[in-house]
Amino acid sequence: MPLEAHFEKRLASYTLSVDFSCEDATLAILGPSGSGKSMTLRCIAGLERPDRGQIVLNGKTLFDSAARIDVPARHRGVGLLFQHYALFPHLSVAQNIAFGMNPDARAPRLQRQIAEMHLEGLEHRFPRELSGGEQQRVALARALAIEPQAILLDEPLSALDTYLRGKVEQQLIATLAHFRRPALYVTHSMEEAYRIAPNILVLSKGKVAAHGSREQIFRHPPTLEVALLTGLKNFSRARVLSAGKIEALDWNCPLSCDVDAFAKPAPAFVGIRAHHIRFAASPGETNSPNSFPCWLVRTSEAPFRVTVYLRLHSPDAGDHHLQAEITKENWLRLKDQPQPWRVLLPPDDVLVLAS
């Protein structure tokens, strides 16, 4: 394995305990604030020392508590891009990028990084004279200029506005696709993680909650906690009725779905993502599996989508609402139709979750 990380570090409120490997592709580390994402990168980079465990990169041991090995950060061959870039304010763009390079190969490699990051003409400017996107590109060029064996990116888009974030994200995706070495990308945005990395590691309170392909993590989250971290809006306590049938206790309805009647442990929750909810467009669809009457509670509009909050079964059925995300076009067709509407919860999209 190119990068193997198996270590523990005691923190103020919990013990960070990571156990994962990363091949020659980007691995997104997803989790809420305070879950241990940045500390994981700092331990791998050599800026923090774990209490015990091992870190191995391309067969070279960077840290081994039992063997008393702790390679200094400057000798690890790891490029680190900090959240706020950490550029040296007194150095120019060219000097920032060249910092840490081998002097013998500095000139050609420096020019290559400037060209690849589209920084021509900015070589003599200082960080205060750059836009946020330009600073980000300088920081990325500096991290890549040492030709690292692995690169670690700590929420590199969080300081950018929406327009710049989209542009820089596309450049990052292209850069990481050509890197072909282990890359760890820390984020708390589930959509960003999905777009940038083929594989995802989910951290929660210092523990690995899930690790796998992005399709596996989003389509089949193992627990309610992981589902919530990946953007699940609708969930209910659940009880298995039979093979292929589960009862959503909080929604007071049986659901057809892929559930094993003899699974151990038994599923504790059921969920459905807001964008998977559909509305019946014809009378024939009312006989579809998981078709229920619903009443509108309220709406929340974004520029291109509408979130519709619904009650199932009756207009006063309690506080357990469903959130459905639909396009503005579909909302314009739906809003003037007489209620109750008919909501469809596709069986293939119903998530069966452990506690």
Side-chain angles (χ1 to χ4, degrees):
M1 298 289 182
L3 174 62
E4 297 180 75
H6 318 284
F7 62 83
E8 293 183 356
K9 182 172 178 60
R10 289 186 298 273
L11 303 177
S13 55
Y14 59 79
T15 295
L16 174 64
S17 179
V18 298
D19 185 4
F20 68 89
S21 59
C22 178
E23 297 284 352
D24 294 345
T26 304
L27 173 67
I29 302 181
L30 178 66
S33 297
S35 59
K37 304 186 300 297
S38 295
M39 182 58 70
T40 297
L41 297 196
R42 293 179 67 84
C43 287
I44 293 171
L47 303 180
E48 299 281 349
R49 189 180 191 279
D51 294 302
R52 63 174 188 156
Q54 266 192 337
I55 301 170
V56 180
L57 178 59
N58 290 334
K60 176 184 177 181
T61 300
L62 304 182
F63 175 80
D64 188 324
S65 57
R68 299 180 181 273
I69 297 172
D70 187 10
V71 176
R74 63 185 179 276
H75 297 312
R76 291 196 175 195
V78 173
L80 178 59
L81 177 56
F82 292 95
Q83 182 175 354
H84 295 289
Y85 315 141
L87 298 176
F88 300 111
H90 61 290
L91 298 182
S92 67
V93 166
Q95 290 169 330
N96 263 283
I97 297 172
F99 188 86
M101 278 187 188
N102 183 331
D104 296 333
R106 181 173 294 174
R109 196 180 304 165
L110 174 60
Q111 292 307 312
R112 185 171 73 248
Q113 288 301 322
I114 287 173
E116 289 180 356
M117 291 295 113
H118 307 291
L119 294 168
E120 297 95 334
L122 304 179
E123 295 93 329
H124 303 295
R125 293 192 186 180
F126 291 89
R128 65 179 179 275
E129 300 173 308
L130 304 176
S131 69
E134 289 166 346
Q135 290 184 36
Q136 198 271 356
R137 298 205 306 273
V138 173
L140 180 58
R142 184 179 63 183
L144 293 170
I146 62 171
E147 296 191 334
Q149 296 303 301
I151 189 167
L152 315 179
L153 302 102
D154 190 0
E155 300 197 46
L157 306 181
S158 62
L160 303 179
D161 61 45
T162 302
Y163 173 72
L164 268 180
R165 188 180 300 125
K167 289 186 65 176
V168 175
E169 181 183 293
Q170 290 305 308
Q171 185 169 19
L172 265 178
I173 291 172
T175 300
L176 292 173
H178 287 93
F179 184 61
R180 293 194 176 91
R181 295 174 187 171
L184 302 184
Y185 188 97
V186 159
T187 179
H188 62 268
S189 167
M190 54 102 181
E191 293 185 358
E192 192 175 293
Y194 192 94
R195 289 192 297 265
I196 286 176
N199 299 300
I200 294 176
L201 176 80
V202 181
L203 281 182
S204 176
K205 297 178 182 177
K207 301 294 188 294
V208 175
H211 184 200
S213 72
R214 60 188 174 192
E215 289 296 329
Q216 176 187 355
I217 298 297
F218 279 82
R219 292 291 299 177
H220 304 288
T223 65
L224 175 62
E225 180 180 41
V226 173
L228 294 174
L229 288 172
T230 57
L232 181 70
K233 299 294 195 307
N234 302 300
F235 66 94
S236 164
R237 293 170 300 134
R239 177 174 67 93
V240 176
L241 299 176
S242 61
K245 187 75 74 172
I246 197 167
E247 182 181 9
L249 300 173
D250 296 320
W251 303 336
N252 191 29
C253 62
L255 295 172
S256 297
C257 60
D258 183 15
V259 62
D260 182 355
F262 303 102
K264 300 294 181 184
F269 296 93
V270 65
I272 188 161
R273 298 193 185 276
H275 63 279
H276 284 156
I277 295 175
R278 296 174 47 239
F279 293 89
S282 64
E285 288 188 290
T286 61
N287 296 322
S288 302
N290 304 344
S291 171
F292 306 98
C294 65
W295 281 258
L296 178 66
V297 178
R298 66 181 185 276
T299 63
S300 175
E301 294 197 28
F304 307 108
R305 301 186 68 81
V306 177
T307 301
V308 182
Y309 296 82
L310 307 164
R311 284 198 183 98
L312 293 181
H313 304 300
S314 69
D316 57 353
D319 296 327
H320 294 286
H321 303 159
L322 283 181
Q323 294 184 42
E325 292 180 0
I326 60 177
T327 64
K328 284 282 186 74
E329 182 181 7
N330 286 337
W331 169 241
L332 292 175
R333 287 199 295 261
L334 178 68
K335 68 176 184 176
D336 294 328
Q337 294 181 15
Q339 297 184 44
W341 300 330
R342 201 79 185 180
V343 70
L344 306 175
L345 312 182
D348 291 343
D349 293 323
V350 174
L351 303 177
V352 178
L353 306 163
S355 57

